[in-house]
Amino acid sequence: MTTAGLLSGIRVLDLSRILAGPWASQTLADLGADVVKLEQRQGGDDTRHWGPPFVEASSDSTAERTAAYFLSCNRGKRSLAVDFTDADDLALVQKLAAKADVMIENFRVGGLQKFRLDYPRLSAINPSLIYCSITGFGQTGPDAAQAGYDAMIQARGGLMSITGEAGGEPVKVGVAVADLMTGMYAATSICAALYRRAVSGEGEYIDLALLDVQAAMLANQAMNYLVGNQIATPQGSAHPNIVPYQVFQASDAPLMLAVGNDSQFRKCCALLGAEALADDRRFTSNAGRVEHRQMLIPAMQSLFHLQPRAHWLNAFSAAGVPAGPVQSIDEVMADKQLLARQMFGETQIGDTGYRQLRSPIKLNRHAIDDQRGAPTLDQHRQQIVQDWLSD
């Protein structure tokens, strides 16, 4: 395996803050790109302060404190602190933009024009630049000027209307999935644009909106409405189109059962000692099980109560029926499969070490550069100026 990442040699100027943009640029850094994170001179990225918990950059009592939130989405980057109202700082940013292969920003629509960092101006001096704008509502439309945060987007984009227990209050997902998925769409689009640029030499402008992404993420729920006029409602852990596909309570703990076809259902019934359910014509097909779920699920639940979770998981695993434990975060961090896949590593910020998640991307020929931690504020100013502007 070579130590050079797939994006080795690609320069990314990251003007984004919070999560969606930083998640995209972190993915590019993992893939080998040189990501320069521009931050406000006073305080840096907001997420540096979104704690506790915090990590102290050193044992010095005046050391910078960095929130775990920031560490989660800024590994592998170099930090440069600037003030756009300072003429020298702004000139430096403009010079860096002229040298960049990729620029990511999440300012409000038109917010970079007064700094001469908008796409029309930059593409005129750097025609091969790939410029990615991430906003709440996109560059066009009646709400383009509005700010957008993940929780509000989950609400407006329909996700909260289908999340939670039946009859309960609207609930957001436990992590900022609209931001995270927008970041992944951004990284995917940027990589595609880099491929096209290698062929044509042309740059690209990418316009990503959190609301657009959230609507796209509705996936089968959206198509259930567009095709069948079915308006989804919260069903807890249950699935609108597949049954049985939900959490069941064993005698001691919950488990998630994910039966995806009729063969798996028959095996499941055999393990439960309920062959009669598999032979019942109401339940022999998935369509029938969806229609009659109110009769099937209670019958199955009464049987799950008879044995502890480990019994069921061992039996299902041996039979090839998909099922798994409902784990807490600490249990996930100790999961033997994740440990075997080396999904956790040790790194540091300043001279303080901490554990971090690693990239889920596994490549055979090119190393993933996910061992570096997040930077302290303005840590790499001299290096960046030397590396980017010396030629």
Side-chain angles (χ1 to χ4, degrees), residues 343-360:
M343 277 300 298
F344 313 108
E346 297 283 343
T347 190
Q348 63 185 50
I349 183 167
D351 58 12
T352 302
Y354 63 92
R355 288 185 75 202
Q356 73 167 357
L357 284 163
R358 300 186 63 190
S359 171

Side-chain angles (χ1 to χ4, degrees), residues 238-246 258-261 286 289-290 293:
H239 197 290
N241 302 109
I242 312 171
V243 173
Y245 200 102
Q246 64 180 76
V259 168
N261 57 51
N286 181 69
R289 294 192 293 274
V290 170
R293 74 167 75 214

Side-chain angles (χ1 to χ4, degrees), residues 31-275:
L31 290 167
D34 178 11
V35 177
V36 169
K37 180 178 180 65
L38 294 188
E39 300 187 66
Q40 303 175 82
R41 188 178 293 282
Q42 298 299 319
D45 191 310
D46 290 348
T47 61
R48 286 188 180 273
H49 314 287
W50 285 9
F54 295 97
V55 173
E56 303 285 350
S58 76
S59 57
D60 188 324
S61 61
T62 63
E64 177 182 325
R65 243 183 13 161
T66 304
Y69 197 116
F70 179 87
L71 302 177
S72 75
C73 53
N74 287 289
R75 67 172 175 257
K77 305 177 189 179
R78 302 199 284 178
S79 174
L80 174 63
V82 296
D83 178 355
F84 279 9
T85 65
D86 180 283
D88 290 337
D89 275 1
L90 182 56
L92 173 59
V93 174
Q94 291 167 341
K95 289 177 183 177
L96 293 173
K99 294 283 190 176
D101 297 291
V102 177
M103 179 166 148
I104 303 173
E105 60 91 9
N106 66 347
F107 284 68
R108 288 196 182 191
V109 173
L112 288 175
Q113 290 179 357
K114 61 183 176 181
F115 302 116
R116 302 181 67 83
L117 291 169
D118 54 301
Y119 179 68
R121 286 190 175 93
L122 290 182
S123 63
I125 61 175
N126 186 358
S128 63
L129 177 66
I130 295 163
Y131 190 114
C132 179
S133 293
I134 298 174
T135 56
F137 299 97
Q139 301 294 308
T140 59
D143 294 333
Q146 292 189 21
Y149 278 77
D150 178 273
M152 181 263 284
I153 295 296
Q154 286 194 39
R156 182 165 174 177
L159 186 59
M160 286 178 66
S161 77
I162 59 174
T163 304
E165 294 297 328
E169 294 294 319
V171 176
K172 74 176 182 65
V173 178
V175 292
V177 290
D179 274 337
L180 296 174
M181 282 297 293
T182 301
M184 294 310 298
Y185 272 108
T188 301
S189 302
I190 288 166
C191 288
L194 285 168
Y195 170 77
R196 178 49 53 189
R197 190 186 71 168
V199 175
S200 68
E202 297 176 340
E204 183 59 271
Y205 180 76
I206 301 166
D207 169 15
L208 277 168
L210 269 66
L211 184 61
D212 293 353
V213 170
Q214 181 57 80
M217 285 170 57
L218 292 176
N220 60 296
Q221 299 280 29
M223 292 307 296
N224 288 345
Y225 173 75
L226 293 173
V227 172
N229 204 35
Q230 297 179 12
I231 301 176
T233 58
Q235 298 187 45
S237 63
H239 197 290
N241 302 109
I242 312 171
V243 173
Y245 200 102
Q246 64 180 76
V247 168
F248 287 93
Q249 184 68 41
S251 64
D252 61 341
L255 63 89
M256 180 69 193
L257 180 67
V259 168
N261 57 51
D262 297 338
S263 174
Q264 290 175 355
F265 176 66
R266 182 164 289 278
K267 291 177 182 178
C268 177
C269 290
L271 293 171
L272 289 170
E275 288 85 351

